[in-house]
Amino acid sequence: MVSPEAVPYAKVGGLADVVGSFSRVLKGSGHDVRLAMPLYGNIERKVDFKQIETNFSVFLGGHREEVCSLWEVHRPNGNVNGSVTTYFFEHEKYFGRNGVYGTQEGSFKDNDKRFAFMCRAALDLCRYLKWIPDVIHCHDWTTSLIPIYLDTVERKSELGQIATVLTVHNLEHQGVFERNLVTFAGLPDEVFTPNCLESMGSVNMLKGGILKATKLTTVSLNYAEEIQRPELGAGLNSILKRRCADLIGILNGIDDTIWNPATDISLPQMFSVDKLEGKKVCKQQLQSHFNLPIMPSIPLFGVVSRMYYQKGLDLLLEIIPSLLERIPLQIVIVGNGEPAIEKKFQEMEKAFPQKIRVFIGYNEELVHQIFAGSDFFLMPSRFEPCGLTQMYAMHYGAVPIVRATGGLVDTVEQYKEGPPWGNGFLFQAPAPQAFYDAIIFATSIFFNRFDEYKQLQANGMRKDFSWKKSANRYEEAYQSAIKAHKKMLTNLRKA
Ligand code: ADP
C-alpha cells in the first residue's frame, strides 16, 4: 500500500480510515501487507518508531540523488493477527512541515515534487528491502506515478513484474501540474502524451495513473458508474469509460475496533442496539457539552464534515432559518475547511445559540460523541464517492438524511412504510427545498411514529458495514491484476 495518509498516523479524511483499517484486515487474512507513506512533521514518533536507514537514496530526474531517512513501525494489530509494517520517508524539505496536502491557505506549492518523490521512494524501498510485492495498491493522484514508473523506466527491472491496483477515492482531486514534473520525476518525455500524463498542456497525475494501472477500483458501485458519465466524471469520464472493463466498484468497510458504540471509550456511556439506554446519556452529554438545552424529546441532528463545496453544507445553511421556524430541533456541527463556510456556520450559531452549535476544527473524540448523541445525521453531499460518516452514524444509531449520490445510495436505504422499513432518508436534487422536505418528513416520523423511527435506527445499527465482503472483492481484484499483468509481460516477451 502506498498512501499519503493512513490511520493512526496521519488523517485528512476517509482515505486514512480506509487505508489504515483495510491494510490490517488484509494482513489478518494472511497477506504480507506493508504500507509506505511520508513522515510528516506532525506525526508523533512514538517509541515503536525505528529509524532503519539514515542514508536512503532516491534517484529522480537527471540522476539527481535525494537522500532521506527511512523509519519503520510494527504496531500490534488489534483483534487480527500480526501487524502491518509501515515504512515512513523522512525528508525535511518535502515532509518536515505539518500537514498532508496543505494548510488553510491552500495546497502546498510543491505537492508535485513531494508526491513524485513519495512514488519514486516507494519503488526504491522495494528494491532496498529486496521485497518485490505481487501488487502495489495505489491510492488517488498522489500515488499515480507508480504505475507509470513501472510501465516505463522499471519495465525491464526486477520491479517490472509488479502489478498495480489504483483506487480512486475522489475524482475531484487529480494532481494537475506543469510539464516539468515529468523531468523532475525522471520519467521519459514520451509519457507526456494524451495517452498517459498529458491533459490540456499540463500533467494530470490521476489521468496517467488511470491509464497505466493494471486494474482500477473505486469506493462504491454507484460511484463506479457515476464517474463514467460527464456530470460526475470530472473530465476523466471518457478515459474511465475506456477502461470500464478494468474498473471495479468496491464499497469501503468500517473498522469495528475504532467505531463501535459498545466498546467506544470516548463515550460517556457505551450502548448497543439491544441496550440503548447509553445513547440517551450520550445525547444528554452532547447537549450539555454544547450548552444546548437538555431536552430528550427534541430531535438532535449531527453533522461531521469537511467544509467544502462537495459536501453541500451550503444547502443546510440555506434552510436552517425556515427549519427552525417550522419544527423544534437542535443541530450540532463539527468540521473545518473553507473559511467562508466556517464563518457562515459561526454566524448561524450566533443567530440561534439555543439551537445551533458549531465546533470549527478537528476533534476525533468529539466526532464519536456526535454520532453517539445524535438522533439524525445530515449529509447533503453534491457527490460522495463512498462516505464513511453515514456508516459510522448508522452504527451509532443516528439515522442518516443524505443526498442520493455515490456511496450514499449504496449504504442508505430509504424509509418505506412496512417491514423492513429501511435505515434512513434520501433526497434526489442537490437543492435546498429537496433537503428541507426530507428533514421535515424524517422529523414527522420521529414525532408521530416513533416506533418506526426506532426500527430505522435498529436497522442501521444492525447493518453489516464490516470489511468482510469488500476484502474478498479486493482479493479478487488483486488476483485479476496479477493475472492480467503476467499476460501482458508474456505478450511483450513474445513480441
Ligand atoms: P471525506 O473523506 O470526503 O472527508 P468520509 O465520510 O469518507 O469523507 O470520511 C471523513 C472522515 O473524516 C471520517 O472518519 C470523519 O469522522 C472524519 N472527520 C471529518 N471531519 C472531522 C473533524 N472535524 N474532526 C475529526 N474527524 C473528522
Side-chain angles (χ1 to χ4, degrees):
M1 299 274 172
V2 185
S3 175
E5 41 175 317
V7 161
Y9 307 109
K11 169 164 166 175
V12 175
L15 170 61
D17 291 6
V18 169
V19 172
S21 65
F22 177 55
S23 306
R24 292 207 307 274
V25 169
L26 260 187
K27 176 82 187 191
S29 331
H31 299 284
D32 186 359
V33 185
R34 308 191 192 184
L35 168 65
M37 63 182 287
L39 188 58
Y40 305 109
N42 49 344
I43 293 182
E44 192 189 340
R45 291 175 205 192
K46 297 202 170 151
V47 284
D48 54 1
F49 273 67
K50 289 201 183 65
Q51 193 172 30
I52 55 169
E53 177 64 69
T54 51
N55 219 1
F56 179 64
S57 294
V58 176
F59 287 94
L60 292 147
H63 304 286
R64 205 181 62 260
E65 182 185 11
E66 298 232 15
V67 175
C68 71
S69 277
L70 209 51
W71 293 71
E72 184 187 81
V73 174
H74 298 280
R75 197 162 280 185
N77 193 12
N79 58 359
V80 282
N81 303 324
S83 66
V84 175
T85 302
T86 305
Y87 299 99
F88 294 91
F89 307 116
E90 183 190 32
H91 188 293
E92 181 52 35
K93 186 170 64 161
Y94 295 144
F95 306 126
R97 68 198 93 158
N98 295 348
V100 176
Y101 310 105
T103 62
Q104 279 283 64
E105 277 72 57
S107 302
F108 294 133
K109 295 279 176 277
D110 56 350
N111 273 347
D112 51 348
K113 297 195 172 70
R114 297 170 76 232
F115 292 113
F117 177 84
M118 178 181 79
C119 291
R120 188 60 260 180
L123 292 172
D124 290 338
L125 174 68
C126 296
R127 190 169 275 136
Y128 170 87
L129 296 170
K130 299 191 176 57
W131 181 74
I132 310 297
D134 300 307
V135 179
I136 297 186
H137 191 157
C138 303
H139 298 273
D140 279 347
W141 69 268
T142 55
T143 58
S144 285
L145 292 188
I146 290 176
I148 302 172
Y149 279 122
L150 291 174
D151 190 54
T152 53
V153 289
E154 299 295 353
R155 166 52 60 78
K156 296 208 170 103
S157 79
E158 72 276 33
L159 303 183
Q161 58 191 283
I162 303 173
T164 49
V165 171
L166 170 65
T167 297
V168 177
H169 293 261
N170 191 334
L171 200 63
E172 189 186 21
H173 308 288
Q174 301 182 358
V176 176
F177 300 105
E178 284 175 21
R179 180 187 180 147
N180 56 16
L181 171 60
V182 172
T183 320
F184 171 85
L187 286 164
D189 286 344
E190 77 228 29
V191 299
F192 193 70
T193 67
N195 266 334
C196 190
L197 279 174
E198 195 266 334
S199 174
M200 291 182 286
S202 297
V203 163
N204 182 321
M205 284 169 78
L206 186 62
K207 179 188 174 204
I210 288 173
L211 285 166
K212 294 299 170 191
T214 322
K215 293 281 169 185
L216 303 168
T217 71
T218 187
V219 288
S220 67
L221 272 82
N222 193 34
Y223 194 60
E225 298 271 314
E226 286 175 344
I227 56 179
Q228 294 179 51
R229 298 201 294 264
E231 309 85 68
L232 288 181
L236 297 180
N237 46 294
S238 29
I239 63 155
L240 284 159
K241 202 163 183 126
R242 209 191 307 164
R243 292 221 58 195
C244 67
D246 295 315
L247 170 65
I248 313 159
I250 307 178
L251 194 68
N252 287 333
I254 69 174
D255 186 341
D256 207 58
T257 62
I258 302 173
W259 300 98
N260 181 353
T263 54
D264 191 332
I265 52 168
S266 336
L267 308 185
Q269 192 171 320
M270 297 170 196
F271 62 92
S272 66
V273 64
D274 300 314
K275 259 183 106 199
L276 272 171
E277 300 78 49
K279 184 153 173 90
K280 290 188 189 143
V281 178
C282 291
K283 179 170 176 180
Q284 195 179 349
Q285 181 260 357
L286 190 61
Q287 288 171 324
S288 135
H289 175 92
F290 277 103
N291 278 324
L292 284 165
I294 312 266
M295 300 171 93
S297 58
I298 290 231
L300 178 56
F301 291 75
V303 175
V304 173
S305 182
R306 291 183 297 114
M307 291 181 165
Y308 291 97
Y309 180 78
Q310 171 193 345
K311 299 293 180 178
L313 295 174
D314 49 309
L315 306 183
L316 177 60
L317 282 162
E318 207 159 322
I319 61 174
I320 282 178
S322 34
L323 272 178
L324 295 182
E325 256 174 42
R326 175 99 179 256
I327 40 175
L329 52 79
Q330 296 174 336
I331 309 181
V332 286
I333 297 139
V334 174
N336 59 357
E338 236 166 63
I341 306 180
E342 292 179 353
K343 190 161 159 255
K344 282 193 188 138
F345 274 111
Q346 282 165 326
E347 285 165 5
M348 210 45 100
E349 179 181 49
K350 266 200 203 119
F352 307 103
Q354 295 286 305
K355 310 232 163 155
I356 313 284
R357 299 307 253 170
V358 179
F359 172 83
I360 299 295
Y362 188 87
N363 184 331
E364 295 212 356
E365 192 178 40
L366 184 57
V367 160
H368 285 243
Q369 292 164 358
I370 299 250
F371 293 128
S374 302
D375 300 301
F376 288 103
F377 184 73
L378 301 175
M379 204 164 173
S381 307
R382 287 201 165 75
F383 66 94
E384 194 59 69
C386 176
L388 293 171
T389 46
Q390 82 282 8
M391 294 195 252
Y392 299 150
M394 282 190 260
H395 223 46
Y396 282 69
V399 172
I401 303 174
V402 305
R403 192 168 101 71
T405 182
L408 299 176
V409 172
D410 292 349
T411 50
V412 179
E413 292 151 37
Q414 170 63 33
Y415 160 85
K416 269 195 221 87
E417 257 182 64
W421 305 101
N423 58 25
F425 299 87
L426 294 119
F427 63 99
Q428 300 295 324
Q433 187 65 44
F435 191 25
Y436 175 86
D437 292 344
I439 294 178
I440 296 293
F441 180 56
T443 37
S444 77
I445 305 293
F446 185 88
F447 285 126
N448 306 321
R449 305 190 207 169
F450 195 63
D451 284 353
E452 293 178 19
Y453 167 83
K454 297 293 286 178
Q455 192 57 56
L456 285 175
Q457 182 186 51
N459 288 350
M461 292 184 82
R462 289 212 168 92
K463 187 155 172 154
D464 180 7
F465 290 118
S466 72
W467 271 107
K468 245 179 280 154
K469 251 190 268 160
S470 300
N472 289 340
R473 300 208 58 220
Y474 269 114
E475 285 175 339
E476 285 163 19
Y478 295 148
Q479 291 298 350
S480 78
I482 293 167
K483 210 165 137 198
H485 191 66
K486 277 202 178 121
K487 194 168 160 200
M488 192 271 290
L489 290 178
T490 314
N491 289 344
L492 269 183
R493 254 177 250 127
K494 277 190 204 149

